[in-house]
Amino acid sequence: MTETPLDILVIGHNYAPEPVGIAVYTSGMAEMLAADGHEVRVICGTPCYPHWSVLPGYSHYKVTHRCEGGVAVTRLPHFVPSVPRGWRRILHHLSFALLATWAMLRACWHRRPDVIVAIAPSILSTAVARLVAICVRRPLWIHVQDLELEVALATGQLPGGRRTAALLGAAERWALSGDRVSSISPAMCERLAAKLGRDAAVFEFRNWADPAVVHRAEAESPYRREWRIGRPHVVLYSGNIAAKQGVELVVEAARLLGWRTDIQFVICGNGANRAALEGAARGSGVMIHDLQPTELLGDLLALASVHVLPQIAGAADLVLPSKLPNMLASGRPVIATADEGTGIARESGGAGLLTPPHDARALADAIASLIDDPVRRAAMGAAGRRLAAARWDKREILEQFGRELRTLVVEPGYNRPVRGVIRPRFAQHQPAGRIEPIQQHP
């Protein structure tokens, strides 16, 4: 007998066409659920990330309703700060949460969903989702992409000091107490379980690698001609440029390797710290470009000889960068600035090198060592592709999520607590060969 399709209401601040980060995975999840026959409605914000300005073609002031990829998408206008720090960032999230309260109640009045899925951040909109789920007596699945409060503390972006942190921490624990809670890596699942208590239901629901990245990995990148790159090797960073990334470290490493005529550093990104990065990069020889279209991601990542994944100290277990699976899928080694034992270190084992956060000399030495050792570079790139296939397969991840979502809806007494961290095997096949732990570069 064919299973009855679910009516799924999703609330998430970020959604396509934002080119990077959470939006890619929320829209991918919604569109695949719709393609599998479910009725999917999404309440999201006006696209503005990571540029922090509303994208052309989208309204600053009006609520819009469109069908996109088989999904009924409601976009809410909200405050978009040009500099997303402190109280301005809080106002950004608060304005969305207030509008989302009205939009969710309206959606549930029109037709009560079978299940509500809330994407965090932001915690404020997740709290709205929990309130509405309680009011309409529907199960709530909360998916945590980013430990928002801890990241704000680690990057010094939280105004108000300890009292504000304590208040927001209590609000966060309440907001994240859904019928099911999931996150994107074992390290983040463990932190959530500790935060929410021993009866928390925490599932592992990974992000995925873009299949197009694998298909383009062996071809010569057209960006080499377009950007007139004559040097044989490219060190690439592509993604958001904000406080938690610490991309300035890449510029410092480029200056230390300025004498190398065979290495070109390229940064592709937008974000709150873009202007400061451009100032720091003057005279360094680093090429800085805007983020490239999502459909050209495979071409861009194929440009690299080596990928760099900078993170500030203390952030390696607070968020698993969404760019990592695609870096691995591209078949190029990854140099991550993280300590041993962190989530980033465990997730990229055998596929690159670790260097200490904020240590430009160590990063430069690691880059030079891989550029000068093509055999080792190729072996680490191949290990990365195996990891991507084993752990970040899109179809398997989303099919498993769909099954777990249906289980939440149909099981009697859906709000019973589930103890511990639950790790469904979203990627069931194993990597070919033995994967070594990631190596710490001396």
Side-chain angles (χ1 to χ4, degrees), residues 214-390:
V214 177
H215 298 153
R216 294 294 302 160
E218 302 305 324
E220 179 177 316
S221 173
Y223 284 105
R224 179 170 287 276
R225 297 187 302 276
E226 182 179 341
W227 291 342
R228 299 179 181 178
I229 298 175
R231 298 185 179 189
H233 297 292
V234 172
V235 176
L236 177 66
Y237 171 82
S238 177
N240 188 29
I241 301 175
K244 68 184 175 183
Q245 281 79 28
V247 185
E248 296 80 7
L249 192 70
V250 179
V251 174
E252 294 178 38
R255 290 191 185 279
L256 292 171
L257 293 174
W259 59 275
R260 297 278 304 242
T261 59
D262 59 336
I263 302 175
Q264 177 64 59
F265 282 77
V266 177
I267 295 174
C268 289
N270 298 90
N273 287 15
R274 167 73 181 259
L277 181 72
E278 289 175 329
R282 288 193 186 98
S284 67
V286 176
M287 290 184 175
I288 301 180
H289 296 279
D290 289 338
L291 282 170
Q292 300 302 297
T294 303
E295 60 270 20
L296 298 179
L297 179 62
D299 290 331
L300 176 63
L301 297 186
L303 177 65
S305 301
V306 173
H307 295 293
V308 286
L309 182 58
Q311 293 281 298
I312 65 169
D317 280 336
L318 302 180
V319 57
L320 184 66
S322 58
K323 60 184 74 67
L324 177 60
N326 290 319
M327 287 178 171
L328 297 174
S330 73
R332 274 62 168 179
V334 178
I335 301 176
T337 62
D339 295 321
E340 288 190 86
T342 59
I344 289 177
R346 293 195 295 267
E347 293 290 346
S348 51
L353 300 174
L354 287 180
T355 64
H358 313 298
D359 190 335
R361 171 54 66 183
L363 177 59
D365 290 346
I367 291 169
S369 72
L370 284 182
I371 294 298
D372 293 338
D373 191 342
V375 174
R376 189 184 189 199
R377 196 168 69 243
M380 287 183 168
R385 294 193 72 171
R386 293 197 297 270
L387 280 173

Side-chain angles (χ1 to χ4, degrees), residues 13 52 77-82 87-89 91-93 95-96:
H13 204 147
W52 292 103
H78 50 79
F79 173 64
V80 178
S82 57
W87 292 109
R88 291 185 178 188
R89 193 180 192 101
L91 182 58
H92 169 67
H93 290 302
S95 63
F96 174 76

